[in-house]
Amino acid sequence: MRTWNERLQILVFRHPLAGIQIVKGTVEQDESLEKAALRELFEESGIDNASIEKFIGVYSPQQSGADWYVFLCQSDEELPEEWVHDCTDDGGLNFAFFWHALFSPPTEEWHMIFQDLLKFIQSKLSA
């Protein structure tokens, strides 16, 4: 999350096969939720200088059986407007990262699960 021109923005990426998404992943054995969030952020985006700012909540997607633990992360480095990261997960796909105004609606290009996740994050951060 970052503020740009007085508007909060959330980092998202265009998955070449599955639409616009928000970074997420799985927890490895003996790994804390916080460490998993930071590891997944690094693996999917290349951001390696981030920290957990706060726990947002537990999201239960209708299309998936497992709950998602949602964290707000901050990076100490200044991140560009957009970049492409070669993600070694998913067989080495290129993920195109960019910033989305937090309280703007998702476009049709967003994967349905992530449209719902964005609404969840919006509801938690607007309170």
Side-chain angles (χ1 to χ4, degrees):
M1 193 91 49
R2 73 174 187 174
T3 302
W4 183 258
N5 291 335
E6 299 182 22
R7 294 179 69 190
L8 284 176
Q9 295 182 315
I10 187 169
L11 183 63
V12 299
F13 66 95
R14 187 170 284 105
H15 189 290
L17 306 174
I20 295 175
Q21 301 183 9
I22 298 170
V23 172
K24 76 164 201 60
T26 58
V27 179
E28 295 179 355
Q29 187 173 353
D30 298 326
E31 184 178 45
S32 71
L33 295 171
E34 294 83 0
K35 285 189 180 192
L38 294 173
R39 177 185 49 74
E40 287 290 345
L41 180 63
F42 172 70
E43 288 176 0
E44 292 192 2
S45 71
I47 298 171
D48 64 354
N49 195 8
S51 59
I52 301 288
E53 184 171 308
K54 74 181 211 174
F55 175 66
I56 294 175
V58 179
Y59 173 67
S60 300
Q62 295 176 345
Q63 302 89 338
S64 174
D67 287 341
W68 296 357
Y69 294 81
V70 183
F71 293 92
L72 175 62
C73 299
Q74 293 284 58
S75 176
D76 294 335
E77 62 187 283
E78 187 162 332
L79 299 171
E81 285 298 307
E82 54 188 57
W83 70 92
V84 174
H85 179 71
D86 181 30
C87 181
T88 56
D89 289 355
D90 292 335
L93 298 175
N94 288 325
F95 292 168
F97 282 85
F98 61 98
W99 297 94
H100 177 83
L102 178 62
F103 293 105
S104 293
T107 65
E108 290 182 10
E109 190 179 358
W110 282 61
H111 188 287
M112 182 58 71
I113 281 183
F114 293 95
Q115 289 183 35
D116 293 341
L117 176 59
L118 178 63
K119 291 174 189 169
F120 171 81
I121 293 169
Q122 290 169 333
S123 72
K124 294 294 187 179
L125 294 180
S126 67

